[in-house]
Amino acid sequence: PGHQQYPNNDQEPIAPGSKQMKGKVSSGTSGISTAKPEYELTLEAALILEELLTERGFHVVLTRKENIVDISNKERAEMANEHQADLFIRLHADGSNDSSVKGFHILTPAEGHAMHKQSLHASKIIFSAVQRDQSIDTNGISFRSDITGFNWSQVPTVLIEMGFMTNSEDDQNLSDPNYLRKLMTDLAEGVVAYSK
């Protein structure tokens, strides 16, 4: 689950050996109509996804199980590395200055990252599983080289943007337990397909 209740603006290197620094972890966005903080939503989603993946025989390790923690993005990636995770899934929701922008999308490490190919493979399979669900708006896969959690990861990694909390429809959907469970079920099916 992305973010945490209190941000930590202390700096950490954006990548191993990099002189470029970035805040350790932000508090994230919040719902335009629900006012729900992103860090609460991501934990709710992560607990559902953990349950669904465990039922399907996966061993799931959460980076956090509560909102009041202090775990940087680098430390989260290091956790995935230590566990030699088959896939490091980062759950987030997006925000935009344009409230009409909505939809589920996936961020994946850009070309040049050691895990680019494997991460893109996972992203495509998970995205397809979600896209098949006609009730969920989707808008593609984006590549990023400026994300600390990607740059420190030595295992395949995807960053799931479940929707835009700055769009009232997405925001209300993501706060609907039935919609969130359906989205996490699609996501779990994508992970199953990736693992084969």
Side-chain angles (χ1 to χ4, degrees):
H3 304 287
Q4 59 195 31
Q5 187 160 345
Y6 301 110
N8 182 340
N9 296 317
D10 291 349
Q11 302 288 292
E12 66 184 359
I14 195 169
S18 176
K19 287 188 168 56
Q20 188 181 345
M21 306 293 275
K22 205 170 177 183
K24 287 187 170 184
V25 61
S26 73
S27 58
T29 189
S30 59
I32 194 166
S33 42
T34 63
K36 178 181 279 187
E38 182 182 354
Y39 65 80
E40 274 183 19
L41 171 64
T42 59
L43 183 57
E44 285 171 12
L47 293 171
I48 295 167
L49 186 59
E50 177 190 31
E51 174 200 325
L52 294 169
L53 288 174
T54 302
E55 280 171 5
R56 287 158 173 78
F58 291 89
H59 173 62
V60 180
V61 177
L62 294 184
T63 52
R64 65 181 179 91
K65 292 185 178 180
E66 54 194 2
N67 291 318
I68 300 180
V69 295
D70 189 13
I71 309 167
S72 79
N73 287 312
K74 172 179 176 274
E75 288 165 342
R76 291 166 199 238
E78 287 171 341
M79 254 186 237
N81 298 340
E82 282 160 22
H83 284 93
Q84 297 180 317
D86 295 303
L87 186 61
F88 173 30
I89 302 169
R90 309 181 66 210
L91 284 178
H92 285 259
D94 219 335
S96 171
N97 293 327
D98 179 351
S99 62
S100 70
V101 177
K102 64 178 189 170
F104 170 96
H105 65 285
I106 299 181
L107 306 183
T108 198
E111 237 176 292
H113 188 289
M115 288 292 138
H116 167 73
K117 274 189 181 160
Q118 285 169 277
S119 300
L120 179 57
H121 179 61
S123 294
K124 284 178 173 174
I125 291 173
I126 292 168
F127 186 78
S128 292
V130 175
Q131 195 176 34
R132 277 196 294 273
D133 188 333
Q134 298 295 305
S135 65
I136 295 170
D137 288 308
T138 54
N139 56 19
I141 296 170
S142 308
F143 299 96
R144 296 283 291 274
S145 58
D146 61 334
I147 295 181
T148 309
F150 281 174
N151 295 335
W152 285 90
S153 183
Q154 297 162 4
V155 297
T157 178
V158 296
L159 193 153
I160 305 296
E161 295 281 14
M162 297 182 283
F164 282 81
M165 296 188 85
T166 45
N167 174 273
S168 58
E169 188 186 346
D170 272 7
D171 179 31
Q172 285 166 2
N173 280 339
L174 292 168
S175 269
D176 174 346
N178 295 325
Y179 179 93
L180 192 59
R181 180 164 284 271
K182 181 176 59 168
L183 178 58
M184 291 303 105
T185 302
D186 295 340
L187 200 53
E189 292 306 325
V191 173
V192 169
Y194 168 68
S195 70
K196 289 177 176 168

